[in-house]
Amino acid sequence: MVPVTPQPTRATTDAFYPLILNSGRIRDQWHTMTRTGAVPRLMQHIAEPMVEVAPQDAVRYQLPADGLARIWSRHGVMVAKVAISEGQRPGSLFVPMHWNNQFARQGRVNNLLAAVTDPYSGQPESKQAAVAIAAWQPAWHSELFCREPLPFPAAWHWRRRAAPGVLHYSLAGEASARQWLSAWCARRGWQLQVADGGAVWNLLAWHQGRLMLGWWSDAREPAVDCAWISAAFAAPPSDAVQRHALLSGRPGAAVAPRGRIVCSCFGVGEWSINEAIASGCASVGALGGKLKCGTNCGSCVPELNALLAAQRTRA
């Protein structure tokens, strides 16, 4: 036993850094994701660095839900996706501790933290920092799937996601990516299939019948079916009609989308859960009976209750 005198944290807010940031674990990850980050199922619940913000602060700082935000302190800066949460205290932010430079550019919460540790245990000072936050609206967003890593330009913001048999990146930037990406593919002798609609610019790169790379971009985050695209790298479309469908990033109405994964154990998505609620499932037990969600580890039960409550509010 070592006697200690409790000390307040050194992180204090002021006019330049008006918010307190806290950091910690999220449901499906452990430490720096050296193992859990390689499991696609565990990356489907929260797939990228995010910052939880109270609704009042989202209004005050003009932060759109699911948009990107820059967070900075006296020590550094990071970029994260905004998650507006009723459970977050006004004046405070929460950012998961797990992402590192292998998974995201400017996605490390440690960039914001002072090197203040307990003199005996070495534990960081409650992983707190005084920070500021602002929305970041880049000129373009993109989803990129490829078989090999790309040397992205330094100005691009990227987040790597786990996907079976393929590399998956979410990207954003200011200057156009078209010339750089087209030239990179051309140097490899790949055949390009392009859909150019101005802000919407999609590209597939083929080599000897194999899909080598797929790029989908828009002024906002592209709405693509990631699981369907990943499967195309293992079994590429065999005819022109299917290839054109792949170029859109979505399979069409014949394949029901899952949405964000809520139940990692059984791969149950948010859209499927909301559809089941709308069809009459009024409890977690009923959802489990129909979709199996919440019937194994139980860690998704709070989110199932939240989705049920949200549907009741809308009704």
Side-chain angles (χ1 to χ4, degrees):
M1 301 288 289
V2 178
V4 297
T5 301
Q7 300 289 331
T9 61
R10 298 188 191 179
T12 56
T13 59
D14 57 28
F16 295 101
Y17 304 100
L19 299 164
I20 284 291
L21 177 138
N22 296 288
S23 178
R25 285 190 59 209
I26 55 175
R27 190 187 81 187
D28 291 348
Q29 299 301 331
W30 185 255
H31 294 321
T32 54
M33 303 195 303
T34 51
R35 294 188 179 183
T36 53
V39 181
R41 180 186 294 181
L42 297 179
M43 292 292 289
Q44 291 175 331
H45 178 240
I46 297 177
E48 60 186 289
M50 63 87 173
V51 53
E52 277 194 0
V53 183
Q56 301 93 318
D57 289 331
V59 172
R60 180 180 180 183
Y61 297 104
Q62 300 180 19
L63 303 171
D66 295 326
L68 293 177
R70 283 197 173 103
I71 312 153
W72 65 96
S73 72
R74 296 174 179 87
H75 310 287
V77 64
M78 71 171 294
V79 175
K81 178 171 282 190
V82 174
I84 300 173
S85 172
E86 294 282 353
Q88 189 57 244
R89 177 188 299 176
S92 295
L93 308 175
F94 172 79
V95 174
M97 69 182 189
H98 310 288
W99 276 265
N100 54 47
N101 291 337
Q102 296 181 48
F103 290 91
R105 180 180 180 271
Q106 291 189 328
R108 295 176 65 246
V109 70
N110 282 354
N111 290 347
L112 308 178
L113 305 179
V116 178
T117 58
D118 180 85
Y120 299 101
S121 68
Q123 181 75 9
E125 186 187 65
S126 299
K127 303 183 178 68
Q128 287 188 341
V131 300
I133 190 170
W136 177 45
Q137 179 55 59
W140 55 266
H141 295 261
S142 173
E143 298 296 324
L144 170 68
F145 294 76
C146 50
R147 294 186 182 273
E148 59 185 85
L150 276 69
F152 298 129
W156 291 10
H157 174 66
W158 58 267
R159 298 92 73 197
R160 180 163 67 88
R161 303 166 179 258
V166 66
L167 296 172
H168 177 195
Y169 297 89
S170 295
L171 303 105
E174 300 293 348
S176 173
R178 302 184 190 200
Q179 183 176 354
W180 185 92
L181 184 64
S182 298
W184 194 87
C185 293
R187 287 195 296 270
R188 279 147 183 78
W190 295 346
Q191 180 183 1
L192 301 185
Q193 180 183 356
V194 179
D196 191 344
V200 179
W201 178 67
N202 302 340
L203 177 148
L204 300 177
W206 302 87
H207 182 64
Q208 297 180 352
R210 298 179 74 211
L211 180 60
M212 305 302 294
L213 178 147
W215 168 283
W216 293 264
S217 66
D218 202 340
R220 295 180 294 180
E221 192 168 298
V224 299
D225 190 319
C226 297
W228 183 66
I229 292 170
S230 295
F233 278 80
S238 57
D239 59 55
V241 173
Q242 292 177 323
R243 287 192 176 192
H244 280 295
L246 182 60
L247 192 59
S248 74
R250 295 182 295 275
V255 180
R258 294 187 301 174
R260 181 181 64 88
I261 295 299
V262 174
C263 175
S264 296
C265 294
F266 295 105
V268 184
E270 185 173 4
W271 293 350
S272 301
I273 295 167
N274 282 330
E275 188 176 70
I277 295 171
S279 69
C281 291
S283 67
V284 170
L287 289 171
K290 184 170 185 176
L291 303 174
K292 292 189 176 181
C293 52
T295 62
N296 192 35
C297 76
S299 61
C300 65
V301 169
E303 285 193 69
L304 297 178
N305 279 319
L307 290 172
L308 286 163
Q311 286 279 21
R312 286 193 290 268
T313 300
R314 285 193 288 269

